[in-house]
Amino acid sequence: MRDDEVLHFGVALDAWGSGLAVAAHDALVARLRHAGVARPWLRVYAGNARGRAFWEKLGWACTGEHTRGTMPPYAELLTYALPPEIDRNPA
């Protein structure tokens, strides 16, 4: 994390489908909210359908902003944000 941006998030392939990623996500969002971040955001590769589905399932929405990666092949990145009203673990 850097301020309100999630820079990297992932779990090992053998943990996919175990619920670990959702638990890690919820802990991450709780930490961000505790730090006063109202609207965290991140970037996801446009071609990463599984990653995009993960974030969308948890309430993140594509903002419509897109950029390109800084290294070849300069893949398209989509910006996602979590609206302030989405809180899966209210305090």
Side-chain angles (χ1 to χ4, degrees), residues 43-44 46 62-68 75-79:
R43 291 186 181 108
V44 180
C62 186
T63 67
E65 179 184 340
H66 57 94
T67 57
R68 292 276 174 188
E76 182 180 17
L77 295 162
L78 302 175
T79 300

Side-chain angles (χ1 to χ4, degrees), residues 30-60:
R31 183 175 175 183
L32 288 162
R33 298 292 196 217
H34 181 74
V37 175
R39 189 173 178 266
W41 65 279
L42 53 84
R43 291 186 181 108
V44 180
Y45 286 108
N48 182 356
R50 184 182 180 105
R52 292 175 60 194
F54 172 80
W55 295 108
E56 291 168 7
K57 173 181 78 170
L58 297 174
W60 295 69

